Amino acid sequence: MSAAARLGRRVGTTAKEELRRNKGAWRDPLPAAASRAIAERIPLADLVVQVRDARIPLSSECEILRNYPPSLKQIVALNKMDLVGTSNVKAWMGYFRERNCISCGVNAHNKENIKQLLSLIQRRVSELKGADQCDNNYTATVMLVGIPNVGKSALVNALHQVGRISAAEKGKLKHATVSPEPGETKDIRSFKIGSHPNIYVLDTPAILSPKVPNVDILSKLILTGAIGDCLVRRKEVAQHFLAIHNSSEQYKKWAKLSMKDNDRLFLNGTTEQLTSSGLHMKHKNQIPTDHTQDCVVQDVRRTLFETISSFEGDVRCEDEMEALIARQFTALQEAFHVSIESEEDDAHDKVAGKLLNLFRTGRLGHYILDNLPGYIQ
Ligand SMILES: Nc1nc2c(ncn2[C@@H]2O[C@H](COP(=O)(O)OP(=O)(O)OP(=O)(O)O)[C@@H](O)[C@H]2O)c(=O)[nH]1
């Protein structure tokens, strides 16, 4: 087992112990009655869109949908595909296709993706309604169901916006609450996403099975933010992320950020050229800039590159990986402008929170945390 997997297992084990101490209860605000209400409506829906997190296509499965509804009445939407990259999503779609399950990759913040998801839903609904409904004079209900924080509300808002505009509907747009914190959606709400036929989509509160998953899945749910950072110290979760990052090739993409200022000048023009103010301006325009234009993100990337590339230990070995991570925490304190006078625990907690935020918003690269079955890591 890799050092990253071992660190993940440690996070999962701590979380599981914490749950056991709390008598197995999730810090899940969703009452059992709401879960029941969703389960009861599922058979009545014309179509269910199971929203999963594209970073964890298996670990984010919603357990109550495992055997129902039949795959015909279900689409698996791998949301947050912007965080994993198109080729990974395509590979996973192949996996679902082999299991006769319709799936699609989607980014709730991308209008073109939403249009594609909307037409897939419309097509599927009309196929399921059958030929006798071909006058398009019917109403269909689509349920969006999934575990916490996978982007159900963000998708509902986007589908509602695109669907109503294309249907030339009048009236106010409604908004479902979108939040980086899991468990924000409390009620089942309906949003119109099409006319002729009338299609309504139901946003639903997140469902997490009362059965605690195995420690590997638990650690991935915590890392991706499906379960809030309340079961395990944020530092441990960030250490898990760093172990994954340090085992990947991602840092190599940031090599150019590490060049000394002089090297950058050399690459962009000679020193004499640069003394001329006109050429200096030209040079300034040539300095490679990060698309995020975010200095902190650049500093963090550079710090990660420099700490890994100068590390002489073997990151496959758990102790050495931990030594590297300890060094990274110290170096990241500066990159994140966390005061060096803070207490170490406090400073590390701040670094962990900021690092996890960058990872969860995709600013530290693409990561897919589940392995395709049959693929050896
Ligand atoms: N990068 C990225 N972030 C997304 C995407 N979709 C949603 N998010 C973010 O993920 C977080 C959770 O989104 P929500 O729509 O509130 O998720 P939810 O599944 O409704 O959450 P619950 O209230 O737990 O049910 C928010 O910070 C969103 O901005 C996406 O496609 N890409």
Side-chain angles (χ1 to χ4, degrees), residues 51 79-83 106-109 146-155 177-186 203-206 226 360-362:
V51 185
N79 189 38
K80 308 198 183 187
M81 70 179 279
D82 53 307
L83 303 184
V106 63
N107 166 6
H109 302 147
I147 67 164
N149 215 27
V150 286
K152 298 176 294 299
S153 300
L155 283 171
T177 308
V178 173
S179 158
E181 294 302 319
E184 279 298 312
T185 307
K186 309 280 189 238
D203 186 20
T204 62
R360 287 173 181 156
T361 49

Side-chain angles (χ1 to χ4, degrees), residues 209-254:
S209 159
K211 211 172 76 198
V212 176
N214 71 45
V215 292
D216 295 322
I217 295 180
L218 201 45
S219 66
K220 292 175 195 172
L221 295 178
I222 292 171
L223 185 54
T224 52
I227 297 174
D229 297 329
C230 57
L231 295 173
V232 188
R233 285 187 314 142
R234 283 196 299 195
K235 182 175 177 185
E236 277 185 62
V237 184
Q239 284 171 327
H240 180 204
F241 164 68
L242 283 172
I244 292 170
H245 170 78
N246 295 342
S247 317
S248 77
E249 303 277 295
Q250 178 64 47
Y251 73 97
K252 293 183 181 165
K253 296 185 183 156
W254 302 329

Side-chain angles (χ1 to χ4, degrees), residues 298-318:
Q298 289 209 34
D299 281 350
V300 170
R301 291 174 176 179
R302 179 169 51 234
T303 303
L304 292 176
F305 173 81
E306 286 172 355
T307 46
I308 302 171
S309 53
S310 63
F311 185 67
E312 287 173 353
D314 181 354
V315 290
R316 286 168 302 180
C317 161
E318 196 174 343

Side-chain angles (χ1 to χ4, degrees), residues 123 202 251 346:
R123 234 178 16 251
L202 300 184
Y251 73 97
D346 190 33

Side-chain angles (χ1 to χ4, degrees), residues 51 77 79 106 108 114 117 144 151-160:
V51 185
N79 189 38
V106 63
I114 295 299
L117 176 61
L144 253 68
K152 298 176 294 299
S153 300
L155 283 171
V156 162
N157 282 338
L159 286 166
H160 179 53

